[in-house]
Amino acid sequence: MNINYESYRIFYHVATSGSISKAAEELLISQPAVTWQIKSLEEQLGLTLFIRTKKGVILTDEGKILFNYVKTGVESFSNGENALTNLKNLDYGIIRIGASTTVSKHVLMPYLAKFHEEYPNIEIKIVNSLTDNLLKELRNGNLDILLLNLPMKEAKDLNITKILDVQDIFVGNKKYYELTNGSLSLPELKNYPLLFQKKPSNTREYLDNYLRSNNELIQPKMEVVSYNLIMDFVAAGFGIGYATKEFILSELKNKTLYEIKITPKVPKRYIGIVTLDKTIPNYSVKKLIDLITNKIK
């Protein structure tokens, strides 16, 4: 038996309204069309579903049995359509983001603030961890997108979208700025106490690659996991640290930190969005990505 969904939907509306004419009004179709659909359904089933009265229609015993099943199906379809509409309108949903604490604070937060203002019902979950851990969670389906310091090792299953160029620099407090006269050659840098992020991290890997490319091997005096904590130690006078200029603009302006120019200069790198290739993000995630990549204002 091959009865289409539309026949059952019309049957449901006639049964709940108790009237052919009311059902036609609800469905925005003509009464003859409703009558024809009910008659066709009864013929296909070989059963009478309604008793016609002067006041409308009443379900037969067979009609009541069918209605108990059809009611669940039609209302489930309707609820599903409403859920998708709500999701498309961003009335609810969830976004799971992986990023370092530093990127979350200095890059992601302004976008999230704007997104939350527009779509306050979307739940946002942020996981802060090392890049390798975040990539594992993305591939396992536990995260939707990553915001990472790049470049990193290429992988065929990842899609990377560049969103922001950044410049790494070396910084010190006023004492170290005056000691170095604000500039050093890379070999001279080894004569001062240095503070680097602890391995493994993309930032530390990028720094090590820069040193190796210039035939320098430098052992820092202090290694700290937290980027922000390194900046606090540098400001307190523990030594010269490795920083991302765009993340410390206020400190440079307020002169709690000073840039110490190093020759040769560290090449620029960038921040990017990482998603799984050939995977379509949900509507909420797509909206956030569009916001970050300036496709929407």
Side-chain angles (χ1 to χ4, degrees), residues 134-167:
L134 294 176
L135 286 170
K136 182 178 180 181
E137 291 299 296
L138 179 70
R139 289 180 169 121
N140 287 340
N142 298 322
L143 293 173
D144 298 307
I145 61 171
L146 309 180
L147 258 75
L148 300 177
N149 285 304
L150 300 168
M152 65 179 190
K153 293 178 182 177
E154 295 292 330
K156 292 182 179 180
D157 64 333
L158 299 178
N159 181 41
I160 298 173
T161 303
K162 175 181 171 182
I163 61 170
L164 175 69
D165 285 319
V166 292
Q167 178 65 61

Side-chain angles (χ1 to χ4, degrees), residues 7 21-22 31 39 52 57 66-67 78 119 129 149 163 165 194 223 246 269 273 282 291-292:
S7 295
S21 60
K22 287 181 180 178
Q31 290 187 41
K39 183 180 179 181
R52 279 70 173 173
V57 294
L66 179 64
F67 178 75
S78 179
Y119 311 109
S129 188
N149 285 304
I163 61 170
D165 285 319
L194 302 174
E223 293 180 295
E246 287 74 10
R269 57 186 178 130
I273 296 173
N282 69 48
L291 175 64
I292 294 173

Side-chain angles (χ1 to χ4, degrees), residues 7 9 20 50 100 110 127 129-130 147 190 192 198 266 280:
S7 295
R9 189 170 77 94
I20 296 287
F50 292 102
S100 69
V127 176
S129 188
L130 295 171
L147 258 75
K190 292 186 289 188
Y192 296 87
K198 196 172 184 179
V266 181
I280 300 173

